[in-house]
Amino acid sequence: MTEEILRVENLNKFYGDRHILHDINFTLHQGEVLTLLGPSGSGKSTLIRCLNGLEDFSSGAVYFKGEKIKPTDKNWQEIRQKIGMVFQSYDLFPNLTVMENILLAPTKVQKRAKDQVAQEAEGLLKDVGLEKYADSYPRELSGGQKQRIAIVRALIMHPEVMLLDEVTASLDPEMVRGILQIMTKLSKKHHMTMIIVTHEMGFAEQIADQVLFLEDGRILENTPGKAFFAQPKTERARDFLESMDF
Amino acid sequence: MNWQVISHSLPIFAQAFKLTLWLSLVGILGSLIVGALSSLIQYFKVPILSQLFTAYVELARNTPLLIQLFFLYYAFPVIGLKMSATTCGIIGLIFLGGAYMAEGFTGGFSGVNQTQIDNGKALGMNNLQLARYVVFPQGFALSMPALAANVIFLIKETSIFSVIAIPELTNTALDLIGMYYRSNEYLFVLVVAYAIVLIPVILLLNLLERRVRYGTFGD
Amino acid sequence: MEHSVINVLFVGNNFARIMQGLWTSVWISVDSLAAGLVLGTLLGILRTLPSKPLRFILRLYLEFFRIVPTIVLLYLVYYILPRSFNISWPASWMAILAFALWVAAEFSDIVRGAIESVPVTQKESGLALGLSKTQLFRYVLLPQAVQLELPATINLATRVIKTTSLLMMISIMDVIAIGQQIIEANNQKYPTAVFWIYGLIFILYFIIDYPLSLWSKKLAAKENR
Ligand SMILES: Nc1ncnc2c1ncn2[C@@H]1O[C@H](COP(=O)(O)OP(=O)(O)O)[C@@H](O)[C@H]1O
Ligand SMILES: [Mg+2]
């Protein structure tokens, strides 16, 4: 068994009186890809945001490499350097160039040497086919290009796990494929541990080691990827897959 | 209107003009620093300090500069704190201006998208880094119109220094009127002097605002 | 210390006099605002008309008040009316004139901004219903504009109130002038009087202005939602 990266235990989350996440439990191992599926409003974003402390939760615990994360601001800030996250809205910092966007956190947060990071950044930019855009500003890029930069910006921190929340959902269809390829390559070639929220079912089936199916804040299924797509256990999951035209 | 009276007064007004400029400059810079600081403290809800600064901003914004100056200049010596009129003027202006600037910055900071903050946090930034690299640069652009209005306001507020006998423009004009009784001439020079200070400032700020809005910033 | 507060503030009619001074400041604010808002509405509406020369003149009027500090306005009226026009009004009238002209300038800009920010579709649907230009103003634009401009107007009111602190400069017996008299009368016996009197006036201004600016902020926040 490979090393455990993230474990969630009995996590509950409320917004005011509304119970948003009910007793969430799962474990994620090194190199695994977990896809988080479920209808809109089921709590996928909320769950993924609890994993790096962008949302605080009401009870339960998150463990990083076997160690329980004490939910203080300071702790989360440390941990976030090892948990990369990319959002649906491709929000680069609009006042910084592409290169400045990428270099900001490694040099200022991790205090790494700028020229080394810059070299690495050039390599990563080349990997995603955007080496020409280092000095462009975000507003000069298309949505798909911005999203690729956002992925590079997260990767350069050398995260041990990546959280990707519907990163293709706001993109034009022709942009989607490139991003999916990048994620596939990250998993297959670099064995990156990832949690992916997506509505691209074909992609999910092909990449998922593990599927969490969420509805109304509850995990209805926690199944190996192949099994989920071949034979969903619950009716709800079956309906969901059907509704996704799959 | 007697032009000779006017031309004779010009050297005295030039002196006052310089003083007004200098007081404005110091006051504006000080206000920007105090304002940015107190706004950031309020933005990040730093315990205790943020309540203190909120109280300061409300007190300073909702009382006249004149009474603030009187308090500094006449009341403080009673409790053993004696300062020159100019010192009182500058402190008073920064006290007032800091609160106005804080409001201006706060307006801009609150316009920074939550998603931008989330992105910064997800990259592991602490509050100080978020302030420095995300909230401040983006919020500053959004605050520009309010800050520009405050700059103009503060320059005009230096006229109130005349009440504690700081020899800036207004005080100088009033002195001259008191001495020579030529109110039309001296008031004319006074208005022209304010126009000479403020028109370029207004134009410059308009330019800067446009630059910030359409330039390299915010898309 | 304690005793001096009580002696200075509450002995004789000192407190009542301060309140009277405050009343002077308040009614001068109210009158200036009332006159200024009426004139400002008129000027604001005129500024949305297509006539270029008219717009230009009104713009000049506004810019003049943007450039000249209020204290200077006060002196302009105070010296020029009697000396150049032989008009000898009470000082309080002159203050109201100066403030009202200033308020009108600022308010004309608020009104213009508000009218122009009423969505075009509103204007078009009004016209499509067969409303005349005046009816459009009266029934569609003004009511919506009033709501848009309310926070800025309240803000302007707080500024007018603060500006009344300048009244003593043209020898009006406002709250500060009376405060000074009391301080002078008590200076020998109670040297800390200056602290308490100015402290009280500071707080009085705050008590009047703070609720107004809170209200304006609340309204503005509601609009932004
Ligand atoms: N800030 C918030 N305040 C209150 N309710 C929220 C907030 N964010 C999300 N929710 C609610 O939590 C539920 C889960 O939302 P979300 O995690 O965004 O779902 P998903 O990502 O699966 O579409 C939804 O019902 C949503 O309305
Ligand atoms: Mg979501």
Side-chain angles (χ1 to χ4, degrees), chain B residues 58 61-64 66-67 70-71 75 78 100 103 156 159 163 174 181 183-184 190 194-195 198-199, chain C residues 65-69 71 75 83-84 162 165 169 176 180 192 194-195 198-199 202 205-206 209-210 213 217:
Chain B
E58 294 303 345
R61 262 168 41 86
N62 290 300
T63 48
L66 182 133
I67 193 77
F70 274 11
F71 209 77
V78 175
Y100 273 84
E103 285 289 293
K156 288 167 74 179
S159 61
V163 301
L174 293 178
Y181 207 68
S183 45
N184 285 355
L190 181 63
Y194 277 115
L198 281 162
I199 289 174
Chain C
F65 285 90
R66 269 184 84 187
I67 285 169
V68 179
I71 192 168
Y75 283 119
R83 291 187 187 176
S84 299
K162 281 182 280 185
S165 63
M169 302 307 295
I176 300 178
Q180 282 182 323
T192 54
V194 60
F195 200 84
Y198 285 148
F202 183 88
Y205 268 107
F206 182 76
D209 251 11
Y210 180 58
S213 47
K217 231 188 242 182

Side-chain angles (χ1 to χ4, degrees), chain B residues 119-192:
Chain B
N119 272 274
K121 280 188 183 171
L123 288 169
M125 292 186 196
N126 62 26
N127 274 354
L128 222 59
Q129 290 160 337
L130 275 176
R132 166 119 195 255
Y133 301 114
V134 182
V135 178
F136 195 83
Q138 294 185 34
F140 185 71
L142 298 173
S143 321
M144 262 314 278
L147 300 185
N150 289 343
V151 165
I152 294 164
F153 166 72
L154 288 178
I155 294 174
K156 288 167 74 179
E157 284 291 278
T158 59
S159 61
I160 296 183
F161 291 174
S162 57
V163 301
I164 53 171
I166 296 176
E168 46 67 66
L169 284 169
T170 302
N171 183 266
T172 301
L174 293 178
D175 261 7
L176 288 171
I177 293 172
M179 276 190 283
Y180 305 111
Y181 207 68
R182 316 280 324 202
S183 45
N184 285 355
E185 286 80 0
Y186 297 135
L187 286 173
F188 175 75
V189 179
L190 181 63
V191 169
V192 170

